[in-house]
Structures are given as structure tokens and as C-alpha cells.
Amino acid sequence: MARSTLYQLVASDLRRTIYSGVLGPGDQLPTEAELMSVHQVSRNTVRLALGELVNEGLVTRTPRRGTVVRERRPLLIHPQRELQPQPMETREAFAWAVSQEGRVPSQEIEVSIVQPAEEVASRLELPDEGLAVVRRRLRFVDGQPYNTNDSYFPLALVADSEIARPGDIVRGANRVLEDLGHPQVRVVDDIWARMPTSSEAERLQLQSGTPVVVYVRVGYDEADTPVRVAVSVLPADKHLIRYELESR
């Protein structure tokens, strides 16, 4: 049997024990020697199988404990719900969604005025050398870094508002835009996957081989003018994006 098939069989068997709950978060996998004996394969085959599980985000290798099962609690995201009224109007959308799952949200925020990259400037329909306010957020769930969210707003629109000031906006930027007379009534989402940059991997404390999902949302007001571009980087092993569509 081909070596590639052997290591895939070993990985499949281990994967099954994890998804079935036989091995739970924090549990230690059998040692390399034990796996070699059980599956009658070489050490290299075992290491290839374990490497595949590491890349999938199922396990992690630690110096003292060997290979252990990772905690997997993906954050469920409902993009279509962002513009819907929330029961707790004093909380912004991310904090409210995380709290609904019984988890603890927090974030680090940096606010600055920038000339955004072309991919953002064109989406905001800014003039040449036009400026934007960007709110860069590193978001945490239960104390662990979960994603980044950089929201860009035309400077001319939000210069005198809470959006341009440092610190959290407890009621959320969407509510501020409404008060400025520019409620978002339409959004356009672009979503794609890629490998993280080195800075993203460091900020988000990503395991080797973990891909990210880039999620770009453009919000439009009643005049169909773009008022916000939000760029999120979501580690693929920590997020589940769910869309619900209805036929009307």
C-alpha cells in the first residue's frame, strides 16, 4: 500500500476518535511509538498523519505533553443579521452575538486617519487621495484572539462623530451612522480564503498551516452611497459563517 494512503488512513482513524468525542479537548493522543505499533506503520508515516491533523487545527503539539486535541468552539456568524435590530440596543453586533453564545467578548481598538489601499478606497468610492477613518480591532472570545476587523469610513462623513474618536463605541458604529443620517440599508459581501500573512499569524496566534477567511462587507445608505467598508480576517478553525435564505 502506498505510503500516502497509509498516513491518510492513520489520520482518518485519529480524526474519527476526535469527532466522535472519544478524545476530547486537552486529551493526549497515543504516542508515536504506540501509533506505530497499533497501525503497523513507520514513524515517518505516523508523523505525516499527525502533521495533517495539525494543519486541520484538530490537534496541537506541545513540548511536554506530546500531541493533544485542541479546543474547538467555532464562533457562529450570521452576516445577514447585522442590520437587524438587536434586543440589546446598547451593545454592538459582535459583543451581542458572542454574549448570546454564553461567551465573553473583548477587543483592542486603534483609530486613525489614513489614505486607504486602493481595494478599500474604490469600494468607498473616495476621490483621489481621499481620506478615511479606520477603526482597527483585534477581537477576543474568552480571552483568546479570534479575528481582526478593520472598518473604514469616509472622513468627510464621520469626522465629528464617535467613530473618529479612540475607544469603544458601546452602541456600535451602525447606530452612529444612523444618527448621522446615513443608515446602512444594503450590504455587499465578498468572501475568500487564503493563507495568513506572518503578522496575521502572530496577532491571531495561529497554528502552523491554519488558513484564514477574508470577509469584506460594504455598507450602503439610502442614497446607495458606500458609507463603510469592513475587512475581517477570520481563522478558519474558529469561525462558522451561516447564511439563511428565504424564497419570497
Side-chain angles (χ1 to χ4, degrees):
M1 188 177 294
R3 185 179 64 179
S4 60
T5 304
L6 280 175
Y7 89 77
Q8 289 169 354
L9 287 174
V10 176
S12 178
D13 183 69
L14 292 171
R15 193 182 294 114
R16 191 179 303 112
T17 64
I18 294 171
Y19 281 125
S20 67
V22 174
L23 289 176
D27 287 346
Q28 185 175 356
L29 270 64
T31 65
E32 290 184 357
E34 290 169 339
L35 290 172
M36 290 168 58
S37 175
V38 169
H39 295 278
Q40 293 296 294
V41 295
S42 68
R43 185 177 299 275
N44 191 52
T45 297
V46 167
R47 288 179 175 176
L48 286 172
L50 293 176
E52 185 161 298
L53 298 184
V54 169
N55 288 339
E56 292 175 12
L58 290 176
V59 303
T60 185
R61 288 170 171 162
T62 61
R64 295 182 180 179
R65 296 193 59 204
T67 304
V68 298
V69 179
R70 289 184 63 189
E71 174 74 38
R72 286 177 56 84
R73 290 191 64 192
L75 180 64
L76 181 59
I77 298 177
H78 295 271
Q80 72 275 18
R81 295 182 182 177
E82 182 179 341
L83 300 186
Q84 297 176 0
Q86 305 294 349
M88 300 175 65
E89 295 184 355
T90 58
R91 305 198 71 178
E92 59 100 17
F94 170 76
W96 183 83
V98 173
S99 298
Q100 285 298 105
E101 294 192 11
R103 307 173 76 177
V104 180
S106 59
Q107 55 188 350
E108 297 174 357
I109 304 173
E110 297 178 3
V111 181
S112 58
I113 297 173
V114 299
Q115 185 175 329
E118 177 58 30
E119 63 175 348
V120 172
S122 60
R123 285 183 165 95
L124 276 179
E125 298 180 8
L126 294 178
D128 292 343
E129 300 184 359
L131 299 178
V133 172
V134 58
R135 299 180 61 84
R136 303 186 192 275
R137 293 180 286 186
L138 175 59
R139 289 168 158 174
F140 298 80
V141 176
D142 297 332
Q144 297 183 13
Y146 250 65
N147 62 59
T148 62
N149 175 277
D150 297 343
S151 290
Y152 297 81
F153 308 83
L155 175 62
L157 180 66
V158 303
D160 296 323
S161 74
E162 298 164 71
I163 290 174
R165 301 170 197 151
D168 192 11
I169 303 175
V170 176
R171 58 182 177 145
N174 290 350
R175 180 69 68 183
V176 177
L177 288 173
E178 288 182 22
D179 291 347
L180 292 172
H182 297 275
Q184 295 175 95
V185 298
R186 183 174 74 92
V187 297
V188 175
D189 291 346
D190 290 331
I191 301 174
W192 66 92
R194 61 167 170 78
M195 297 306 295
T197 64
S198 57
S199 62
E200 289 169 345
E202 182 177 356
R203 287 188 79 196
L204 292 167
Q205 299 177 19
L206 300 180
Q207 295 287 328
S208 175
T210 303
V212 295
V213 173
V214 181
Y215 170 29
V216 178
R217 165 162 286 188
V218 184
Y220 296 84
D221 66 9
E222 294 170 324
D224 212 33
T225 300
V227 295
R228 176 187 178 223
V229 172
V231 182
S232 298
V233 177
L234 315 174
D237 63 335
K238 291 183 177 179
H239 296 81
L240 173 61
I241 301 176
R242 176 175 296 166
Y243 280 89
E244 299 175 16
L245 306 177
E246 295 182 5
S247 176
R248 296 177 183 265

